[in-house]
Structure formats: C-alpha cells, structure tokens
C-alpha cells in the first residue's frame, strides 16, 4: 500500500479504512501506545499495538526517535487526547535509535533550553517547537511568492557575488581564490586583486536592490528573494551573518505607492499564515503565553501571538513623518519622565524602544514613518524638495510592528542623474564603480520605489520567537558556522 501522510489522514479520517503511515516515534508507552510523527503536522498519530501479536524483539526496537512504518485500521479512539487511532496490524522497523544515545540529544522528550537546541540544530527539527517554526517559515515564503505573482511581479535572481556595496557599510565578506599565505602584491604592498578570479575585489552581497532597480526599469515591477550577508561582529538576538531578504522594485511608483504595496504585502502574509498554519500557530501561541507568565508584568507582551497577527491584518497602518514622530515622542509622558534609555531629538535615528512606543502605546497599530533626515539614510534615496537648510530629508519609509520595531525599510529612489551624482560624491562613492547604475538615469529615467523585508525578522514576528537564530535552520553568527 502507498504511504499516507499523517496530516492528510487526520484532516480527512476515514474510520474503518486501512492505512500505511511512516514516521519517527515520539513515545511508546506500556508496550502498547505509539505516538508517531512524520513532520507533515504538529499532531501525532496514535498507533495501538496488541503486544501478543508481535515478536518481543520487534517491540524492543520501537524506541523514541526510531523510524517505523505502521499498517493498520483507523478506528475511533477509545481514550482521550485524540479522535482517531490506528489499530496496528504490521510493524516495519526502518531505522533504530539507541535509547542511551537519544538521552544526550534534543529528541529526549523533556524541556530543553533554546541554546542547547541550537547546538543540535541538525536534530532540533524533530522537536514540536522547531517543526512548527519551520513549517510556518515555509508558509511565509510561499505567501510572499504568491502575493507578488498575483500582483504581476517578476521574480529576479540578483548576484550573490558582487563588486558593489549597496548599503555603504563596508562590512562585507570578501570572495577570493588568491593564496591566503602569499597573495600577489602591488608596489605599495596592497593585494593585487587584478590577479584574482574575477580580476577585481568582490564580496558577498548585502542587498540585491541596486541590481533589482535595473530590472524594474525595464520589466516594470520585480522582486528579489535571496540570501544576503553582513560581516558585522554582532551577537545580538536580531543579527545574523547570513540571512534572506525580499526586495521589490516598481517603476513609476512614488513613496505613497511604496507604502501601499508594503502594507498590503504584510497583511497578506499574516492573513495567509493564520489561514494555513492554524495548528502550528495554536501551539506557538500557547507556548508564548506560558513563557509570558514567567516574566514580570511590565515585561509581558500586551497582545498574544495570534492577537498580534490580527493587529496587523485588521488595522490600517498609521502614517506619519519622522518630524511628527519626534514631536510625539518628545511630548509623551514617557519622555518627560525619562523612561527612554536613549535620547530623542531631531536628526538622530530612532531606537527600537522609540519605535515600539509609537506602535504599542501611542497609536496602537502598525506605524509607517516617512521623510527621514538625509544624514543617516543611504545615497540612493530620493532627496525631498523644499527642505530647510540643515534639515534635508529623503523620501524614505520604515514600517514598525508591535514587539519587534522596524519590519520594513524602503524609499523612493533618486531618479535625477545630477542629484544622484552629487549624492555619490557626498558619500565618497566613485562614479566609475556604479557606472551601470548611473546609466539607468541617462536612458529614460523614471520615478521608482522599493523596499526590503528581512525574511527572518518576519518569521520571528509570526512565530513569536525572540531570537533570530531560532527561525533559520542553520544560523551563521560570529565564530559559528557549524553544520
């Protein structure tokens, strides 16, 4: 018989039918009750074994983490905890698991700390928590592709190896095949990259945006969804050295169109997950609620996980300028009572505590902040006209979410060649390094806009996980490239 996935069997159970299921043993109690999971759902299938019908040697091999195949008849359950169960008639031992060795792993059925689970990332998929997280991660990815496809966007693969630095941060991973011990040198002692594989110094990309703009200025609307890399020596719960980014670019869009697109996308993702990941979300919601109970009252989330998703889907996002946001913060009791750790003043970037205050306390809805000071935004963002001297702003936007702060960052791009050239000079960017980018402003330049969504940050939001290392299968961080 053909194997049936447990998710399919439980979603449309046909009592009295014979099924073959295969999976990994979560527990085997009293030589009678097998809890089996195959990864297709967070829910286990209970197999009921009549011990007298099976060889004792077979039963001894049914241990936690062993893989087995069960054939049997689906019946209404006689016990509590499940609606149906499989009356087992045949057992196949597919892969054994030594109980003594299982004891030292995350597969031993007891509560483990997340740090221990990260150390065994090759096995943590087997736990309920990470099974749920990575099924939801898949759903978020699928929702993003479906959203853009339905909107008529084209999916573009931008380079992973690049000679440009889109962010201007300089914190990039170099890619080279030169001899590390004896590289070719120039007369001044610097490395001669003309002898490297690509004939120049290249790095792993920090963003696909600049190349995405090139495609958008011909295809109209595109999006990228690919790996990006940052060589930041940061061990915080919000940083990875390798992560994934979604970056749409749309010709003829201005900053207002950009905000509309981002808001619609974020609502679509949250709605899709609620509709298609109900069992996993229920588990993650209950897990978070239990964790919140152990925290002091002032540190608890005001909204539960599912409530936060509904918070996004049911509220229109509040749109304010950076200047208005600064005014709100400086007039707040929170600021007057010196409850902010970081100071607030016009011309400095907002910190996460300021962003969360605006979302969770002031407006009680997602917030989009626009028109940031040009001084701390990227060179490619469009300069706003009519600014006061010393208070120049750009057509940038950040979208702020509850519990997490910034979720999306984007802007209308600078389409005016002479303005863009001046900004390159101001930022110390050599025109010859971005000749191809500037060329697009010479041949039929148009207003256009786009944004970036950090994929892992979105997965953190919809799963309630608080450390970014727990929403990517194999986290890459300083001093850590295991697996």
């Amino acid at each position: 018989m053909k194997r049936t996935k447990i998710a399919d069997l439980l979603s449309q159970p046909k009592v009295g039918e014979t099924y073959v299921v295969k999976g990994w043993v979560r527990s085997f109690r009293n030589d009678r009750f097998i809890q089996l999971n195959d990864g297709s759902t967070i829910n286990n299938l209970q197999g009921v074994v009549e011990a007298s019908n099976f060889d004792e040697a077979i039963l001894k091999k049914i241990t936690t983490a062993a893989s087995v195949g069960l054939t049997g008849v689906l019946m209404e359950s006689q016990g509590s905890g499940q609606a149906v169960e499989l009356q087992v008639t045949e057992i196949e031992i597919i892969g054994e698991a030594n109980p003594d060795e299982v004891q030292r792993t995350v597969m031993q059925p007891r509560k483990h700390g997340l740090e221990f689970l990260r150390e065994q990332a090759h096995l943590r998929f087997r736990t309920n928590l990470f099974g749920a997280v990575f099924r939801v991660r898949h759903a978020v990815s699928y929702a993003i592709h479906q959203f853009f496809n339905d909107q008529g966007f084209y999916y573009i693969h931008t380079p992973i190896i690049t000679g440009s630095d889109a962010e201007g941060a300089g914190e990039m991973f170099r890619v080279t095949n030169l001899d590390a011990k004896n590289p070719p040198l120039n007369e001044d002692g610097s490395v001669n990259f003309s002898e490297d594989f690509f004939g120049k110094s290249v790095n792993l990309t920090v963003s696909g945006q600049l190349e995405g703009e090139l495609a958008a200025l011909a295809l109209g609307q595109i999006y990228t969804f690919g790996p990006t890399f940052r060589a930041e020596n940061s061990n915080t719960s919000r940083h990875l050295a390798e992560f994934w980014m979604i970056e749409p670019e749309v010709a003829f869009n201005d900053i207002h169109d950009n905000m509309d697109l981002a808001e619609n996308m974020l609502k679509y993702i949250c709605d899709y997950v609620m509709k298609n990941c109900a069992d996993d979300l229920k588990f993650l919601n209950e897990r978070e609620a239990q964790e919140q109970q152990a925290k002091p009252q002032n540190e608890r989330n005001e909204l539960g996980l599912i409530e936060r998703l509904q918070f996004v889907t049911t509220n229109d996002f509040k749109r304010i300028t950076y200047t208005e946001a600064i005014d709100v913060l400086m007039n707040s009791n929170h600021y007057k009572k010196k409850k902010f750790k970081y100071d607030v003043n016009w011309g400095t970037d907002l910190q996460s505590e300021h962003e969360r205050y605006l979302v969770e306390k002031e407006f009680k809805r997602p917030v989009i902040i626009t028109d940031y000071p040009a001084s701390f935004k990227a060179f490619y963002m469009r300069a706003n006209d009519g600014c006061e001297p010393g208070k120049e702003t750009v057509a940038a936007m950040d979208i702020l979410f509850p519990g997490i702060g910034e979720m999306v960052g984007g802007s209308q791009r600078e389409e005016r060649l002479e303005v863009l050239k001046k900004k390159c000079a101001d930022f110390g960017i050599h025109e010859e390094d971005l000749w191809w980018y500037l060329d697009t402003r010479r041949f039929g330049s148009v207003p256009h806009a786009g944004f970036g969504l950090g994929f892992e940050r979105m997965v953190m939001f919809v799963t309630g996980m608080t450390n970014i290392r727990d929403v990517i299968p194999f986290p890459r961080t300083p001093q850590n490239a295991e697996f």
Side-chain angles (χ1 to χ4, degrees):
M1 288 182 63
K2 188 177 180 180
R3 170 195 167 224
T4 299
K5 289 191 294 184
I6 290 175
D8 295 338
L9 187 153
L10 294 179
S11 65
Q12 294 181 317
K14 295 180 180 178
V15 173
E17 295 283 323
T18 299
Y19 291 95
V20 174
V21 293
K22 296 181 180 181
W24 294 271
V25 176
R26 290 291 174 85
S27 67
F28 184 32
R29 295 183 293 109
N30 305 326
D31 281 351
R32 182 170 174 79
F33 302 107
I34 302 172
Q35 293 294 321
L36 195 71
N37 189 281
D38 66 359
S40 63
T41 170
I42 197 168
N43 300 307
N44 300 328
L45 175 67
Q46 178 164 283
V48 181
V49 175
E50 194 63 57
S52 59
N53 294 337
F54 296 93
D55 191 291
E56 185 178 350
I58 292 288
L59 299 181
K60 284 185 176 180
K61 293 180 179 180
I62 306 174
T63 59
T64 297
S67 56
V68 301
L70 304 178
T71 302
V73 180
L74 194 68
M75 306 293 289
E76 291 184 3
S77 179
Q78 300 302 306
S80 61
Q82 60 280 319
V84 293
E85 59 192 17
L86 195 71
Q87 296 289 333
V88 178
T89 56
E90 296 178 32
I91 299 173
E92 175 191 8
I93 305 298
I94 300 171
E96 298 181 36
N98 186 315
D100 294 332
E101 294 182 357
V102 169
Q103 287 283 345
R104 62 177 175 78
T105 73
V106 299
M107 296 180 293
Q108 177 63 24
R110 61 171 179 264
K111 187 173 177 62
H112 298 288
L114 291 174
E115 187 59 44
F116 179 63
L117 289 163
R118 287 178 212 126
E119 293 170 2
Q120 296 195 10
H122 60 306
L123 297 174
R124 66 179 180 170
F125 297 102
R126 302 273 194 101
T127 65
N128 277 338
L129 173 58
F130 284 95
V133 166
F134 292 119
R135 279 187 294 269
V136 172
R137 181 183 168 104
H138 161 79
V140 174
S141 176
Y142 184 84
I144 289 166
H145 284 296
Q146 184 165 281
F147 171 80
F148 284 116
N149 182 73
D150 291 350
Q151 297 281 329
F153 280 67
Y154 300 108
Y155 178 30
I156 296 293
H157 297 101
T158 52
I160 293 173
I161 298 174
T162 179
S164 66
D165 176 4
E167 297 296 321
E171 296 173 324
M172 304 177 76
F173 291 103
R174 176 166 288 146
V175 178
T176 180
N177 71 343
L178 294 178
D179 186 342
K181 292 183 179 179
N182 188 31
L185 302 177
N186 297 310
E187 289 184 5
D188 63 0
S190 61
V191 175
N192 181 4
F193 286 104
S194 67
E195 296 187 28
D196 206 348
F197 184 88
F198 293 104
K200 61 184 290 188
S201 176
V202 297
N203 306 283
L204 295 178
T205 186
V206 298
S207 169
Q209 177 204 314
L210 300 188
E211 294 87 352
E213 284 186 55
L214 312 184
L217 293 174
L219 298 174
Q221 49 186 27
I222 65 91
Y223 73 104
T224 74
F225 191 156
T228 50
F229 308 86
R230 302 282 171 90
E232 289 184 66
N233 188 19
S234 174
N235 275 297
T236 76
S237 62
R238 298 176 66 181
H239 288 92
L240 290 168
E242 175 187 277
F243 55 101
W244 291 72
M245 286 281 287
I246 298 93
E247 297 174 292
E249 291 289 333
V250 186
F252 309 106
N253 266 16
D254 63 16
I255 188 67
H256 303 287
D257 301 316
N258 208 32
M259 288 188 279
D260 292 341
L261 178 66
E263 180 172 343
N264 291 339
M265 179 199 69
L266 293 168
K267 287 183 173 181
Y268 185 95
I269 294 169
C270 293
D271 185 63
Y272 183 91
V273 170
M274 285 192 290
K275 288 178 178 175
N276 292 277
C277 303
D279 288 343
D280 287 321
L281 274 186
K282 180 174 181 290
F283 169 82
L284 292 166
N285 189 64
E286 291 172 354
R287 172 191 174 275
E288 182 186 90
Q290 291 173 358
E291 286 197 341
Q292 292 291 308
Q293 288 298 318
K295 292 182 177 181
Q297 186 69 41
N298 65 333
E299 294 180 16
R300 296 178 188 175
N301 287 325
E302 292 187 13
L303 300 173
L305 173 58
I306 294 174
E307 289 175 316
R308 294 198 299 275
L309 297 180
Q310 294 168 337
F311 179 90
V312 171
T313 60
T314 58
N315 284 299
D316 290 334
F317 293 10
K318 177 68 176 178
R319 302 183 182 191
I320 60 172
T321 66
Y322 169 87
T323 299
E324 291 168 338
I326 292 295
D327 289 343
V328 168
L329 291 168
M330 293 187 73
N331 286 312
S332 69
N333 288 329
H334 216 74
Y335 176 78
K336 293 173 182 176
K337 293 179 179 179
K338 301 185 185 301
K339 290 186 177 181
F340 288 128
K341 179 180 177 181
Y342 295 96
D343 195 17
V344 179
N345 57 77
W346 201 100
T348 59
D349 206 356
L350 298 178
Q351 301 295 321
S352 180
E353 62 173 344
H354 306 140
E355 295 169 339
R356 290 188 60 183
Y357 177 86
L358 293 169
V359 174
E360 298 166 27
K361 304 295 185 184
E362 179 67 24
F363 297 111
K364 299 188 182 299
R365 65 180 63 195
V367 174
I368 308 179
I369 299 180
T370 61
D371 302 320
Y372 281 85
S375 58
F376 57 81
K377 288 297 184 180
F379 79 97
Y380 50 74
M381 296 186 177
R382 192 182 199 277
N384 286 327
D385 298 321
C387 296
E388 294 179 38
K391 284 205 168 185
E392 292 82 6
T393 61
V394 291
M397 70 167 201
D398 285 346
I399 300 184
L400 314 179
F401 267 25
I404 202 163
E406 182 188 338
M407 180 62 70
V408 161
S411 72
Q412 186 173 335
R413 315 311 190 186
E414 184 56 75
E415 85 279 11
R416 298 164 294 186
L417 177 61
E418 292 308 314
V419 178
L420 186 57
K421 288 170 69 174
K422 183 180 183 304
K423 295 189 79 171
C424 284
D426 292 342
F427 278 77
I429 297 170
H430 300 296
E431 288 186 27
E432 58 267 27
D433 293 336
L434 286 178
W435 63 268
W436 43 272
Y437 187 71
L438 295 171
D439 249 9
T440 59
R441 275 63 172 176
R442 293 188 175 97
F443 307 116
S445 184
V446 300
H448 59 287
F451 60 82
L453 167 67
F455 181 60
E456 280 73 28
R457 190 164 289 191
M458 188 71 210
V459 179
M460 286 175 70
F461 180 75
V462 298
T463 60
M465 303 300 286
T466 56
N467 194 313
I468 199 167
R469 303 177 192 205
D470 298 325
V471 295
I472 192 168
F474 304 105
R476 299 299 188 236
T477 53
Q479 304 298 310
N480 177 33
E482 198 64 64
F483 311 106

